Amino acid sequence: MSAAGPAVEPPLGLLAELTHRCPLRCPYCSNPLALTRPGEEMDTATWARVFREAAALGVLQVHLSGGEPTARRDLPELVRAAAEAGLYTNLVTAGVLLDAAKVEALAAAGLDHVQLSVQDAEPASADRIGGMAGGHERKLAAARLVRAAGLALTLNAVVHRQNLDRLPALIALALELGAGRLEVAHVQYYGWALANRAALLPTRAQLDAATATVEAARAAHKGRLVIDYVIPDYHAKRPKACMGGWGRRVLAVTPAGKALPCHAAESLPGLDFPDVREVPLAEIWHRSEAFNRFRGTAWMPEPCRSCDRREMDFGGCRCQAFALTGDAAATDPACALSPRHALLDLAVQEAAAADGAFTYREMARTAPLAR
């Protein structure tokens, strides 16, 4: 493991988590359990400086996320600052707060792309999952405004046991809305999603059917719709390279200014994540102990250390390893070689017996939209 700058390639993407405020209550919310309050969010000028530092570091694209980033009144200014820094700008949004004036302002500020989340293709189910009455119709209206403004659109469908059977309808919805890309992303089980794992985890039969659906749709709509497919680890035999490997391709910055190797890294104990208001982004990326902690392969235990896939999956997900085993340095249980792999089988059995009820996150109460 090296902390020297030249040995570490620059990141390609910056996940800018602008706020934790959100009107939805998704049971798989990826925000941390402890939310940043509006008064603790970084201001416009600080974010603009971060964007300039990111571009100088080698970042090519910025994903403006949250919570719900459109809850920030200064979002057009932030988009303009990122665009002026030379970054490709992608807005990651639920869309429920967008209207024609906001979309027009964002497009004029230099926004390149919108990634719009949907909870289901069936309105009642979508509203139940997101915890917001009328939310699905607002999303559809937002998608049409985005396309009318000439912006590129990706539909992000977070799938799980309670909506996976409607994957064909979700693909049809992406085509109907004029999306150029569809992300079919199975829920990843840490943070709030871990509390709802039994209600969300799909069966193996559902997963196999979904995989076949995606393969058929890719062939049928080649050249019209790109479909990205992120499968769940709980039915896997080998783990994925989470975020392309710890501290290798992406860095995240929280609303309060903490720089992270991945958006869920604050769940790991014993790591001191630097503050971008105090430390330059290049210094953080190349030399911070937190970013170097799980870089490369030297930190790995067996069986990872001697595995011929160690530089392909980089040990899997550190946050998942901690959530399941209590040890962030453990072999990800998604790997069949992990001594804790049976934990995934137990989770699948637990889900099969669950009633499907959600524990909702009341984000709006802890992080109000008003600022």
Side-chain angles (χ1 to χ4, degrees), residues 82-362:
E84 290 177 349
L87 300 172
Y88 182 90
T89 54
N90 174 38
L91 177 65
V92 183
T93 178
V96 295
L97 300 181
L98 285 174
D99 56 26
K102 289 180 180 179
V103 172
E104 182 179 347
L106 293 170
L111 185 65
D112 294 301
H113 184 275
V114 174
Q115 180 176 317
L116 178 71
S117 66
V118 291
Q119 278 68 41
D120 203 332
E122 200 281 317
S125 176
D127 290 350
R128 181 182 68 86
I129 293 168
M132 180 181 187
H136 185 69
E137 288 303 318
R138 293 189 187 189
K139 289 171 179 286
L140 299 187
R144 296 182 181 107
L145 290 171
V146 167
R147 294 300 295 130
L151 296 170
L153 175 67
T154 288
L155 211 63
N156 179 33
V158 180
V159 294
H160 45 81
R161 178 154 58 101
Q162 301 197 34
N163 67 5
L164 193 53
D165 294 337
R166 286 180 291 280
L167 181 54
L170 285 164
I171 294 171
L173 181 62
L175 291 165
E176 175 191 339
L177 294 174
R181 182 180 296 272
L182 171 66
E183 291 190 1
V184 180
H186 285 266
V187 171
Q188 302 298 300
Y189 298 99
Y190 41 73
W192 200 258
L194 189 61
N196 284 292
R197 184 179 64 186
L200 294 167
L201 190 62
T203 65
R204 182 57 194 245
Q206 281 185 304
L207 175 60
D208 290 344
T211 301
T213 295
V214 167
E215 291 175 352
R218 281 173 169 168
H221 306 299
K222 186 177 182 180
R224 168 63 187 83
L225 181 67
V226 175
I227 303 179
D228 294 331
Y229 187 50
V230 181
I231 63 173
D233 289 327
Y234 279 64
H235 292 288
K237 296 299 182 183
R238 292 289 185 269
K240 298 186 292 289
C242 185
M243 305 292 286
W246 180 277
R248 295 190 71 247
R249 292 290 180 265
V250 178
L251 76 157
V253 177
T254 73
K258 293 293 184 182
L260 311 174
C262 83
H263 67 281
E266 277 188 297
S267 65
L268 305 182
L271 292 174
D272 181 21
F273 296 107
D275 191 323
V276 297
R277 292 169 294 189
E278 300 170 357
V279 185
L281 208 59
E283 178 76 13
I284 292 171
W285 178 256
H286 288 296
R287 297 179 176 84
S288 70
E289 194 281 333
F291 274 73
N292 280 300
R293 176 64 182 86
F294 297 114
R295 259 189 183 135
T297 60
W299 62 272
M300 291 180 174
E302 292 292 355
C304 298
R305 184 184 292 269
S306 57
C307 180
D308 60 5
R309 293 177 54 89
R310 63 187 178 278
E311 293 188 0
M312 297 171 61
D313 59 39
F314 294 95
C317 178
R318 298 301 90 217
C319 300
Q320 181 164 267
F322 176 73
L324 292 174
T325 73
D327 180 5
T331 299
D332 187 339
C335 181
L337 300 177
S338 165
R340 310 296 295 278
H341 184 67
L343 289 171
L344 304 190
D345 295 329
L346 292 173
V348 171
Q349 294 171 21
E350 176 190 357
D355 61 8
F358 293 140
T359 299
Y360 285 100
R361 169 162 228 168
E362 301 291 348

Side-chain angles (χ1 to χ4, degrees), residues 68-80:
E68 176 46 56
T70 58
R72 285 193 63 134
R73 296 176 183 175
D74 62 348
L75 183 58
E77 298 171 66
L78 294 172
V79 169
R80 183 173 291 106

